[in-house]
Amino acid sequence: LRARDQVERTDDLRRKANVVSQQLLEMESRALLEEDTQTFRQSLVSLTRKCGCQLRSLNMSDPQVREWSSDDDPLSKAGAKRGKKDRIKTAEYQLRKQPIFLSVSGTLEQTRSLLQELQKSGKLVYLANLSLRPSGSDRSKVDMELQITLFGLQQQLTPPTEA
């Protein structure tokens, strides 16, 4: 009976490990690595055209990189508040944030379609700001400005050192 319980428990742990592995693979595919930045930029240009919008500007700022720990907030600038000892133990990863400013014009339906396509892209995208204003002499079009942030997480190449 004990052996059977151990086998069942082992099978249960394997199933749980498989679920966690699948979740990890899914999140890794959504994260933006440094080498994917230009590809994502090109996909933004393509999505804009596909939706019938006119690209007014697309600016990608320099990425921001900082240490990351398990209970961190990706939107905070400083990261989780920790003691020096904890920070050294947990800073195995770096969070990469890529700010992007996108300005397009088109009909309201075209801009809505662009937002939906951006959401479907599957990348870890945070919409920090959205601005819509009517444009054109007959006000039938809108200008849309987006400030978005793409996220990526990677292991640090060099372990953190004590200051």
Side-chain angles (χ1 to χ4, degrees), residues 15-138:
R15 280 190 294 276
K16 287 179 182 178
N18 285 336
V19 168
V20 170
S21 293
Q22 288 300 321
Q23 290 172 340
L24 178 61
L25 288 173
E26 179 185 331
M27 290 306 286
E28 284 177 343
S29 72
R30 294 181 63 201
L32 189 76
L33 301 174
E34 188 170 354
E35 55 270 15
D36 299 333
T37 304
Q38 288 306 315
T39 304
F40 186 79
R41 185 184 195 288
Q42 290 299 337
S43 72
L44 275 179
V45 172
S46 297
L47 283 177
T48 301
R49 291 180 182 150
K50 175 184 170 189
C51 296
C53 295
Q54 180 182 11
L55 182 64
R56 296 176 59 218
S57 75
L58 174 58
N59 296 321
M60 298 182 83
S61 300
D62 290 335
Q64 303 162 357
V65 180
R66 67 169 174 82
E67 292 180 351
W68 171 263
S69 58
S70 61
D71 59 350
D72 210 336
D73 178 4
L75 299 176
S76 96
K77 291 183 181 186
K81 303 249 188 262
R82 306 184 155 281
K84 189 176 188 181
K85 187 176 178 182
D86 291 336
R87 200 170 32 246
I88 291 168
K89 275 193 227 172
T90 60
E92 297 174 24
Y93 293 93
Q94 289 181 321
L95 175 67
R96 185 176 188 277
K97 298 187 329 184
Q98 178 74 56
I100 298 174
F101 175 79
L102 175 67
S103 178
V104 300
S105 62
T107 65
L108 187 59
E109 188 55 42
Q110 289 169 332
T111 55
R112 181 182 300 144
S113 176
L114 178 59
L115 289 172
Q116 290 170 340
E117 291 296 322
L118 185 59
Q119 182 182 12
K120 288 181 198 173
S121 75
K123 293 296 180 191
L124 294 174
V125 177
Y126 172 73
L127 181 60
N129 194 11
L130 171 100
S131 170
L132 278 175
R133 347 177 243 287
S135 69
S137 58
D138 61 355

